[in-house]
Coordinates of all heavy atoms in Angstrom, one line a residue:
M1 N 138.3 248.2 60.6 CA 138.6 248.2 59.2 C 139.7 249.3 58.9 O 139.6 250.4 59.5 CB 137.3 248.6 58.5 CG 137.5 248.8 57.0 SD 136.1 249.4 56.1 CE 135.1 247.9 56.2
P2 N 140.7 248.9 58.1 CA 141.8 249.9 57.9 C 141.2 251.0 57.1 O 140.3 250.9 56.3 CB 142.8 249.1 57.1 CG 142.0 247.9 56.6 CD 140.9 247.6 57.5
P3 N 141.9 252.2 57.2 CA 141.4 253.4 56.5 C 141.7 253.3 55.0 O 142.6 253.9 54.4 CB 142.2 254.5 57.1 CG 143.4 253.9 57.7 CD 143.0 252.5 58.0
Q4 N 140.9 252.5 54.3 CA 141.0 252.3 52.8 C 139.7 252.0 52.3 O 138.7 251.9 53.0 CB 142.0 251.2 52.5 CG 141.5 249.8 53.0 CD 142.6 248.8 52.8 OE1 143.7 249.1 52.7 NE2 142.2 247.5 52.9
G5 N 139.6 251.8 51.0 CA 138.3 251.5 50.4 C 137.8 252.6 49.5 O 138.4 253.5 49.2
R6 N 136.5 252.4 49.1 CA 135.9 253.3 48.2 C 135.6 254.7 48.9 O 135.4 254.7 50.1 CB 134.5 252.8 47.7 CG 134.7 251.5 46.8 CD 133.5 250.9 46.4 NE 132.6 251.9 45.8 CZ 131.3 251.7 45.5 NH1 130.8 250.5 45.7 NH2 130.6 252.6 45.0
V7 N 135.6 255.7 48.1 CA 135.3 257.0 48.5 C 134.0 257.5 47.9 O 133.9 257.3 46.6 CB 136.4 258.0 48.2 CG1 136.0 259.4 48.6 CG2 137.7 257.6 49.0
F8 N 133.0 258.0 48.6 CA 131.8 258.4 48.1 C 131.7 259.9 48.1 O 131.7 260.5 49.2 CB 130.6 257.8 48.9 CG 130.6 256.3 48.9 CD1 131.3 255.6 49.9 CD2 130.0 255.6 47.9 CE1 131.3 254.2 49.9 CE2 130.0 254.2 47.9 CZ 130.7 253.5 48.9
T9 N 131.7 260.5 47.0 CA 131.6 262.0 46.9 C 132.4 262.7 48.0 O 131.9 263.5 48.7 CB 130.2 262.5 46.9 OG1 129.5 262.1 48.2 CG2 129.4 262.0 45.8
G10 N 133.7 262.3 48.1 CA 134.6 262.9 49.0 C 134.5 262.4 50.4 O 135.2 262.9 51.3
V11 N 133.7 261.3 50.7 CA 133.6 260.7 52.0 C 134.1 259.3 51.9 O 133.6 258.5 51.1 CB 132.1 260.8 52.5 CG1 132.0 260.2 53.9 CG2 131.6 262.2 52.5
S12 N 135.0 258.9 52.7 CA 135.5 257.6 52.7 C 134.6 256.7 53.5 O 133.8 257.1 54.3 CB 137.0 257.5 53.3 OG 136.9 257.8 54.7
V13 N 134.8 255.4 53.4 CA 134.1 254.4 54.1 C 134.3 254.6 55.6 O 133.4 254.5 56.4 CB 134.4 253.0 53.7 CG1 133.7 251.9 54.6 CG2 133.9 252.8 52.2
V14 N 135.6 254.9 56.0 CA 135.9 255.1 57.4 C 135.1 256.3 57.9 O 134.6 256.2 59.0 CB 137.4 255.3 57.5 CG1 137.8 255.8 58.9 CG2 138.2 254.0 57.2
E15 N 135.0 257.3 57.1 CA 134.3 258.5 57.6 C 132.8 258.2 57.7 O 132.1 258.7 58.7 CB 134.5 259.7 56.6 CG 135.9 260.3 56.7 CD 136.2 261.2 55.6 OE1 135.9 260.9 54.4 OE2 136.7 262.3 55.9
L16 N 132.3 257.4 56.8 CA 130.9 256.9 56.9 C 130.7 256.1 58.2 O 129.7 256.3 59.0 CB 130.5 256.1 55.7 CG 130.3 256.8 54.4 CD1 130.1 255.8 53.3 CD2 129.1 257.8 54.5
E17 N 131.6 255.2 58.5 CA 131.5 254.4 59.8 C 131.6 255.3 61.0 O 130.8 255.1 62.0 CB 132.7 253.4 59.8 CG 132.5 252.3 58.8 CD 133.8 251.4 58.7 OE1 134.8 251.8 59.2 OE2 133.6 250.3 58.1
Q18 N 132.4 256.3 61.0 CA 132.5 257.3 62.1 C 131.2 258.0 62.2 O 130.8 258.3 63.4 CB 133.7 258.2 61.9 CG 135.0 257.5 62.0 CD 136.2 258.4 61.6 OE1 136.1 259.4 60.9 NE2 137.4 257.9 62.0
A19 N 130.6 258.4 61.1 CA 129.4 259.2 61.2 C 128.3 258.3 61.8 O 127.5 258.7 62.6 CB 129.0 259.6 59.8
V20 N 128.2 257.0 61.4 CA 127.3 256.0 61.9 C 127.5 255.9 63.4 O 126.5 255.8 64.2 CB 127.3 254.7 61.2 CG1 126.5 253.6 61.9 CG2 126.8 254.9 59.7
D21 N 128.7 255.8 63.8 CA 129.0 255.6 65.3 C 128.5 256.8 66.1 O 128.2 256.7 67.3 CB 130.5 255.5 65.5 CG 131.1 254.2 65.0 OD1 130.2 253.2 64.8 OD2 132.3 254.0 64.9
S22 N 128.4 258.0 65.5 CA 127.9 259.2 66.2 C 126.4 259.2 66.3 O 125.8 260.1 66.9 CB 128.5 260.4 65.6 OG 127.8 260.7 64.3
L23 N 125.6 258.4 65.5 CA 124.2 258.4 65.5 C 123.6 257.9 66.8 O 124.2 257.0 67.5 CB 123.7 257.6 64.3 CG 124.0 258.1 62.9 CD1 123.5 257.1 61.9 CD2 123.5 259.5 62.7
S24 N 122.4 258.3 67.1 CA 121.7 257.7 68.2 C 121.2 256.3 67.9 O 121.2 255.9 66.7 CB 120.5 258.6 68.6 OG 119.5 258.5 67.5
L25 N 120.7 255.6 68.8 CA 120.2 254.2 68.6 C 119.0 254.3 67.6 O 119.0 253.5 66.6 CB 119.7 253.6 69.9 CG 119.1 252.2 69.7 CD1 120.0 251.2 69.1 CD2 118.6 251.7 71.1
E26 N 118.1 255.2 67.8 CA 117.0 255.3 66.9 C 117.4 255.7 65.4 O 116.9 255.1 64.5 CB 116.0 256.4 67.4 CG 114.8 256.5 66.5 CD 113.8 257.5 67.0 OE1 113.9 258.0 68.2 OE2 112.8 257.8 66.3
E27 N 118.4 256.6 65.3 CA 118.9 256.9 64.0 C 119.6 255.7 63.3 O 119.4 255.5 62.1 CB 119.9 258.1 64.1 CG 119.2 259.4 64.4 CD 120.2 260.5 64.8 OE1 121.3 260.2 65.4 OE2 119.9 261.6 64.5
R28 N 120.4 254.9 64.1 CA 121.0 253.7 63.6 C 120.0 252.7 63.1 O 120.1 252.0 62.1 CB 122.0 253.1 64.6 CG 123.3 253.9 64.7 CD 124.4 253.2 65.5 NE 123.9 252.5 66.7 CZ 123.9 253.1 67.9 NH1 124.3 254.3 68.0 NH2 123.5 252.4 68.9
M29 N 118.9 252.6 63.9 CA 117.8 251.6 63.5 C 117.2 252.1 62.2 O 116.9 251.3 61.4 CB 116.8 251.5 64.7 CG 117.4 250.7 65.8 SD 116.4 250.7 67.3 CE 114.8 250.3 66.7
D30 N 116.9 253.4 62.1 CA 116.4 253.9 60.9 C 117.3 253.7 59.7 O 116.8 253.3 58.6 CB 116.1 255.4 61.0 CG 114.9 255.8 61.9 OD1 114.1 254.9 62.2 OD2 114.8 256.9 62.3
L31 N 118.6 253.9 59.9 CA 119.6 253.6 58.8 C 119.6 252.1 58.5 O 119.6 251.8 57.3 CB 120.9 254.1 59.3 CG 122.1 253.9 58.3 CD1 121.8 254.6 56.9 CD2 123.4 254.3 58.9
A32 N 119.5 251.3 59.5 CA 119.5 249.8 59.2 C 118.3 249.4 58.4 O 118.4 248.7 57.4 CB 119.5 249.0 60.5
D33 N 117.1 250.0 58.7 CA 115.9 249.8 57.9 C 116.1 250.2 56.5 O 115.7 249.5 55.6 CB 114.7 250.5 58.5 CG 114.2 249.8 59.8 OD1 114.5 248.6 60.0 OD2 113.5 250.5 60.6
Y34 N 116.7 251.4 56.3 CA 116.9 252.0 55.0 C 117.8 251.0 54.2 O 117.5 250.7 53.0 CB 117.5 253.3 55.1 CG 118.1 253.8 53.7 CD1 117.2 254.3 52.7 CD2 119.5 253.7 53.4 CE1 117.8 254.6 51.5 CE2 120.0 254.1 52.2 CZ 119.1 254.5 51.2 OH 119.6 254.9 50.0
L35 N 118.9 250.6 54.8 CA 119.9 249.7 54.1 C 119.2 248.4 53.8 O 119.5 247.8 52.7 CB 121.1 249.5 55.0 CG 122.0 250.8 55.1 CD1 123.1 250.5 56.2 CD2 122.5 251.2 53.8
R36 N 118.4 247.9 54.7 CA 117.7 246.6 54.4 C 116.8 246.7 53.2 O 116.8 245.9 52.3 CB 117.0 246.2 55.7 CG 116.5 244.7 55.7 CD 116.0 244.2 57.0 NE 115.7 245.2 58.1 CZ 116.6 245.6 59.0 NH1 117.8 245.1 59.1 NH2 116.2 246.5 59.9
Q37 N 116.0 247.8 53.2 CA 115.1 248.1 52.1 C 115.9 248.3 50.8 O 115.6 247.8 49.7 CB 114.3 249.3 52.3 CG 113.2 249.1 53.4 CD 112.3 247.9 53.0 OE1 111.8 247.8 51.8 NE2 111.9 247.1 53.9
R38 N 117.0 249.0 50.9 CA 117.9 249.2 49.7 C 118.4 247.9 49.2 O 118.5 247.7 48.0 CB 119.0 250.2 50.1 CG 119.9 250.6 49.0 CD 119.2 251.4 48.0 NE 120.0 251.6 46.8 CZ 120.0 250.9 45.7 NH1 119.1 250.0 45.5 NH2 120.8 251.2 44.7
S39 N 118.8 247.0 50.1 CA 119.3 245.7 49.7 C 118.3 244.9 48.9 O 118.6 244.3 47.9 CB 119.8 244.9 50.9 OG 120.9 245.5 51.4
K40 N 117.0 245.0 49.4 CA 115.9 244.3 48.7 C 115.7 244.9 47.3 O 115.4 244.1 46.4 CB 114.6 244.5 49.5 CG 114.6 243.7 50.8 CD 113.4 243.9 51.6 CE 113.4 243.1 52.9 NZ 112.2 243.4 53.7
Q41 N 116.0 246.1 47.1 CA 115.8 246.7 45.8 C 116.8 246.2 44.8 O 116.7 246.4 43.6 CB 115.9 248.3 45.9 CG 114.7 248.9 46.6 CD 114.9 250.4 46.9 OE1 115.9 251.0 46.5 NE2 113.9 250.9 47.6
D42 N 117.9 245.7 45.3 CA 119.0 245.2 44.5 C 118.6 243.8 43.8 O 119.3 243.3 43.0 CB 120.3 245.0 45.2 CG 120.9 246.3 45.6 OD1 120.6 247.3 44.9 OD2 121.7 246.4 46.5
G43 N 117.4 243.3 44.2 CA 116.7 242.2 43.5 C 117.4 240.9 43.7 O 117.5 240.3 44.8
P44 N 117.9 240.3 42.6 CA 118.4 238.9 42.5 C 119.5 238.7 43.6 O 119.4 237.6 44.2 CB 118.9 238.8 41.1 CG 118.2 239.8 40.3 CD 118.0 240.9 41.2
Q45 N 120.4 239.6 43.8 CA 121.5 239.3 44.8 C 120.9 239.2 46.2 O 121.3 238.3 46.9 CB 122.5 240.4 44.8 CG 123.3 240.5 43.5 CD 124.2 239.2 43.4 OE1 124.2 238.3 44.1 NE2 125.0 239.3 42.3
W46 N 119.9 240.0 46.5 CA 119.3 239.9 47.8 C 118.5 238.6 47.9 O 118.6 237.9 49.0 CB 118.3 241.1 48.0 CG 117.7 241.0 49.4 CD1 118.2 241.5 50.5 CD2 116.4 240.5 49.7 NE1 117.3 241.3 51.6 CE2 116.2 240.7 51.1 CE3 115.4 239.9 48.9 CZ2 115.0 240.3 51.7 CZ3 114.2 239.6 49.6 CH2 114.0 239.7 51.0
E47 N 117.8 238.2 46.9 CA 117.0 237.0 46.9 C 117.9 235.8 47.0 O 117.6 234.8 47.7 CB 116.1 236.9 45.7 CG 115.0 237.9 45.7 CD 114.2 237.9 44.4 OE1 114.3 237.0 43.6 OE2 113.4 238.8 44.3
I48 N 119.1 235.8 46.3 CA 120.0 234.7 46.4 C 120.6 234.5 47.8 O 120.6 233.4 48.4 CB 121.2 234.9 45.4 CG1 120.6 234.7 44.0 CG2 122.3 233.9 45.7 CD1 121.6 235.1 42.9
G49 N 120.9 235.7 48.4 CA 121.4 235.7 49.8 C 120.4 235.1 50.8 O 120.7 234.3 51.7
L50 N 119.1 235.5 50.6 CA 118.1 235.0 51.4 C 117.9 233.5 51.3 O 117.7 232.8 52.2 CB 116.8 235.8 51.1 CG 115.5 235.4 51.9 CD1 115.8 235.7 53.4 CD2 114.3 236.2 51.4
A51 N 117.9 233.0 50.0 CA 117.8 231.6 49.7 C 118.9 230.8 50.4 O 118.7 229.7 50.9 CB 117.7 231.4 48.2
L52 N 120.1 231.3 50.3 CA 121.3 230.7 50.9 C 121.1 230.6 52.4 O 121.4 229.5 53.1 CB 122.6 231.4 50.6 CG 123.0 231.2 49.1 CD1 124.2 232.2 48.8 CD2 123.3 229.8 48.7
R53 N 120.6 231.7 53.1 CA 120.4 231.6 54.5 C 119.3 230.6 54.9 O 119.5 229.9 55.9 CB 120.1 233.0 55.0 CG 121.3 233.9 55.0 CD 121.1 235.3 55.7 NE 120.0 236.1 55.1 CZ 120.2 236.9 54.1 NH1 121.4 237.1 53.6 NH2 119.2 237.6 53.7
L54 N 118.3 230.6 54.1 CA 117.2 229.6 54.3 C 117.7 228.2 54.2 O 117.4 227.3 55.0 CB 116.0 229.9 53.4 CG 114.9 228.9 53.5 CD1 114.3 228.9 54.9 CD2 113.8 229.2 52.5
D55 N 118.5 227.9 53.2 CA 119.1 226.6 53.0 C 119.9 226.2 54.2 O 119.9 225.1 54.7 CB 120.0 226.5 51.7 CG 119.2 226.6 50.4 OD1 117.9 226.3 50.5 OD2 119.8 226.8 49.4
R56 N 120.7 227.1 54.7 CA 121.6 226.8 55.9 C 120.7 226.5 57.1 O 121.0 225.5 57.9 CB 122.4 228.0 56.3 CG 123.6 228.2 55.3 CD 124.6 229.3 55.7 NE 124.9 229.4 57.1 CZ 125.9 228.6 57.7 NH1 126.6 227.8 57.0 NH2 126.1 228.8 59.0
C57 N 119.6 227.2 57.3 CA 118.7 226.9 58.4 C 118.1 225.5 58.2 O 118.0 224.7 59.1 CB 117.5 227.9 58.4 SG 118.1 229.5 59.0
L58 N 117.6 225.2 57.0 CA 117.0 223.9 56.7 C 118.0 222.7 56.9 O 117.6 221.6 57.2 CB 116.4 223.8 55.3 CG 115.2 224.8 55.1 CD1 114.8 224.8 53.6 CD2 114.1 224.4 56.0
E59 N 119.3 223.0 56.7 CA 120.4 222.0 56.9 C 120.7 221.9 58.4 O 121.7 221.2 58.8 CB 121.6 222.4 56.1 CG 121.4 222.3 54.6 CD 122.6 223.0 53.9 OE1 123.5 223.5 54.5 OE2 122.5 223.0 52.6
G60 N 120.0 222.6 59.3 CA 120.3 222.6 60.7 C 121.5 223.5 61.1 O 122.0 223.3 62.2
K61 N 121.9 224.4 60.2 CA 123.0 225.3 60.6 C 122.5 226.7 61.0 O 123.3 227.6 61.0 CB 123.9 225.4 59.3 CG 124.6 224.1 59.0 CD 125.4 224.2 57.7 CE 126.0 222.8 57.3 NZ 126.6 222.9 56.0
G62 N 121.3 226.8 61.3 CA 120.7 228.1 61.7 C 120.9 228.2 63.2 O 121.8 227.6 63.9
H63 N 120.1 229.1 63.8 CA 120.2 229.4 65.3 C 119.3 228.4 66.0 O 118.2 228.0 65.5 CB 119.8 230.8 65.5 CG 120.7 231.8 64.9 ND1 121.9 232.1 65.4 CD2 120.5 232.6 63.8 CE1 122.5 233.0 64.7 NE2 121.7 233.3 63.7
T64 N 119.7 228.1 67.2 CA 118.8 227.2 68.1 C 117.7 228.1 68.6 O 117.8 229.3 68.6 CB 119.6 226.6 69.2 OG1 120.1 227.7 70.1 CG2 120.8 225.8 68.7
A65 N 116.7 227.4 69.1 CA 115.6 228.2 69.8 C 116.1 229.0 70.9 O 115.7 230.1 71.2 CB 114.5 227.2 70.2
D66 N 117.0 228.4 71.7 CA 117.6 229.2 72.8 C 118.4 230.4 72.4 O 118.2 231.5 73.0 CB 118.6 228.3 73.7 CG 117.9 227.2 74.4 OD1 116.6 227.3 74.7 OD2 118.5 226.2 74.8
E67 N 119.1 230.3 71.3 CA 119.8 231.5 70.7 C 118.8 232.6 70.3 O 119.0 233.8 70.5 CB 120.7 231.1 69.6 CG 121.9 230.3 70.0 CD 122.6 229.7 68.8 OE1 122.0 229.4 67.7 OE2 123.9 229.6 68.9
L68 N 117.7 232.1 69.6 CA 116.7 233.1 69.2 C 116.0 233.7 70.4 O 115.7 235.0 70.3 CB 115.7 232.4 68.3 CG 116.3 231.9 66.9 CD1 115.2 231.1 66.2 CD2 116.7 233.1 66.1
M69 N 115.7 233.0 71.4 CA 115.1 233.6 72.6 C 116.0 234.6 73.3 O 115.6 235.6 73.7 CB 114.7 232.5 73.6 CG 113.5 231.6 73.1 SD 112.0 232.6 72.8 CE 111.7 233.3 74.4
A70 N 117.3 234.3 73.3 CA 118.3 235.2 73.9 C 118.3 236.5 73.1 O 118.4 237.6 73.7 CB 119.6 234.6 74.1
L71 N 118.3 236.4 71.8 CA 118.3 237.5 70.9 C 117.1 238.3 71.1 O 117.1 239.6 71.2 CB 118.5 237.1 69.5 CG 118.4 238.2 68.4 CD1 119.5 239.2 68.6 CD2 118.4 237.6 67.0
H72 N 115.9 237.7 71.2 CA 114.7 238.4 71.4 C 114.7 239.1 72.7 O 114.3 240.3 72.8 CB 113.5 237.3 71.4 CG 112.2 237.9 71.8 ND1 111.5 238.8 71.0 CD2 111.5 237.8 72.9 CE1 110.4 239.2 71.6 NE2 110.4 238.6 72.7
E73 N 115.2 238.5 73.8 CA 115.3 239.2 75.1 C 116.2 240.4 75.0 O 115.8 241.4 75.6 CB 115.7 238.2 76.1 CG 114.6 237.1 76.4 CD 115.1 236.0 77.3 OE1 116.2 236.1 77.9 OE2 114.3 235.0 77.5
R74 N 117.3 240.3 74.4 CA 118.2 241.4 74.2 C 117.6 242.6 73.5 O 117.7 243.7 73.9 CB 119.5 241.0 73.5 CG 120.5 240.3 74.4 CD 121.9 240.2 73.9 NE 122.0 239.8 72.5 CZ 122.1 238.6 72.0 NH1 122.1 237.6 72.9 NH2 122.2 238.3 70.7
L75 N 116.9 242.2 72.4 CA 116.3 243.3 71.6 C 115.1 243.9 72.3 O 114.9 245.1 72.3 CB 115.8 242.7 70.2 CG 116.9 242.3 69.2 CD1 116.3 241.6 68.0 CD2 117.8 243.5 68.8
S76 N 114.3 243.1 73.0 CA 113.2 243.6 73.8 C 113.7 244.5 74.9 O 113.1 245.5 75.2 CB 112.4 242.4 74.4 OG 111.8 241.7 73.4
A77 N 114.8 244.2 75.5 CA 115.4 245.0 76.6 C 115.8 246.4 76.1 O 115.8 247.4 76.8 CB 116.5 244.3 77.2
N78 N 116.1 246.5 74.8 CA 116.5 247.7 74.1 C 115.3 248.4 73.4 O 115.5 249.3 72.7 CB 117.6 247.5 73.1 CG 118.9 247.1 73.8 OD1 119.2 247.6 74.8 ND2 119.7 246.3 73.2
G79 N 114.1 247.9 73.7 CA 112.9 248.5 73.1 C 112.7 248.2 71.6 O 112.1 249.0 70.9
R80 N 113.3 247.1 71.1 CA 113.1 246.8 69.7 C 112.3 245.7 69.5 O 112.1 244.8 70.2 CB 114.5 246.6 69.1 CG 115.4 247.8 69.2 CD 116.4 247.8 68.1 NE 117.8 247.7 68.4 CZ 118.7 247.1 67.8 NH1 118.6 246.4 66.9 NH2 120.0 247.2 68.0

């Protein structure tokens, strides 16, 4: 991402990304959980996005069982 975009109380998006890159795996997972919960709190937009993803899956545009198994194996190997 180019060094541009919104600045949050003196911290740019690039600086936030760099800070995230310096986190441990556990800290990044905690941050991901926080962001996921925060997104859910945004209400309708989150629900619309979820509905669109579900529609894509029902249209056969989701992941195959093999892709999901491979993802599961990768995550399990990392203790997730």
Side-chain angles (χ1 to χ4, degrees):
M1 175 183 291
Q4 61 187 21
R6 292 178 52 186
V7 174
F8 302 93
T9 59
V11 179
S12 71
V13 173
V14 171
E15 290 169 312
L16 289 172
E17 290 170 345
Q18 291 169 343
V20 169
D21 288 344
S22 72
L23 297 175
S24 69
L25 175 60
E26 183 176 350
E27 290 169 325
R28 287 192 314 271
M29 289 172 47
D30 288 343
L31 179 58
D33 287 339
Y34 167 78
L35 292 173
R36 196 169 12 265
Q37 288 301 317
R38 183 66 187 99
S39 294
K40 289 178 183 178
Q41 292 173 3
D42 290 338
Q45 291 294 4
W46 182 82
E47 291 177 12
I48 290 169
L50 182 60
L52 291 172
R53 288 190 297 275
L54 178 58
D55 288 345
R56 285 184 46 82
C57 289
L58 294 174
E59 292 168 359
K61 298 176 183 173
H63 296 285
T64 67
D66 289 339
E67 290 171 330
L68 292 174
M69 287 303 296
L71 175 61
H72 172 71
E73 290 170 8
R74 281 196 314 274
L75 293 173
S76 294
N78 289 324
R80 299 204 238 144

